[in-house]
Amino acid sequence: MNLHDVVSAFETAYTPDPREGLSVTHEVMEGKLQIEVRHQDQDALRGFDVVAEPLETEQRNAADLGHDMAEVVARELAYGQLSAVDEEGKFKRIVV
C-alpha cells in the first residue's frame, strides 16, 4: 500500500479543527504512517499520535485507511482534553 495515498485520503477526509495552537502533521517512514496531533495550551504541550503500519494482507485500501485515521483524530479532538506526555516523555499512541 502506498502510504502517500493514505496521507492524501486522510487530508481529504479530515476537517481541520479551528482551535488555536493545534498542529496536525504527518510522517511517513519505513512502512509506517504517523499522524502527530499537538496542542500547546497554557500548561503544557498536549497531544497524541495515530499510527498505521499496514500489512501486505491488509484488507483496507489506502482511501479506507486514510478515512479511518481522520475519524480517530476527529474523535480524539472531540473529547476536548488532550493527554500530556507520560512519565517517559511520550504522547498517547493509537494504532489504526
Side-chain angles (χ1 to χ4, degrees), residues 9-19 22-24 35-38 48-50 65-82 92 94 96:
F10 170 83
E11 290 173 347
T12 298
Y14 176 67
T15 302
D17 187 298
R19 77 181 81 181
L22 181 71
S23 68
V24 178
I35 305 290
E36 296 178 349
V37 179
R38 302 291 184 263
F48 58 93
D49 298 328
V50 180
L65 186 54
H67 183 266
D68 290 348
M69 293 182 85
E71 283 185 353
V72 169
V73 170
R75 182 180 63 235
E76 290 293 317
L77 288 172
Y79 291 145
Q81 182 65 35
L82 300 177
K92 175 179 173 181
I94 304 165
V96 177

Side-chain angles (χ1 to χ4, degrees), residues 40-77:
Q40 181 67 51
D41 67 12
Q42 298 171 345
D43 302 322
L45 180 64
R46 302 179 183 278
F48 58 93
D49 298 328
V50 180
V51 180
E53 296 181 67
L55 305 171
E56 290 184 26
T57 58
E58 184 78 46
Q59 296 298 314
R60 295 179 287 186
N61 60 31
D64 291 340
L65 186 54
H67 183 266
D68 290 348
M69 293 182 85
E71 283 185 353
V72 169
V73 170
R75 182 180 63 235
E76 290 293 317
L77 288 172

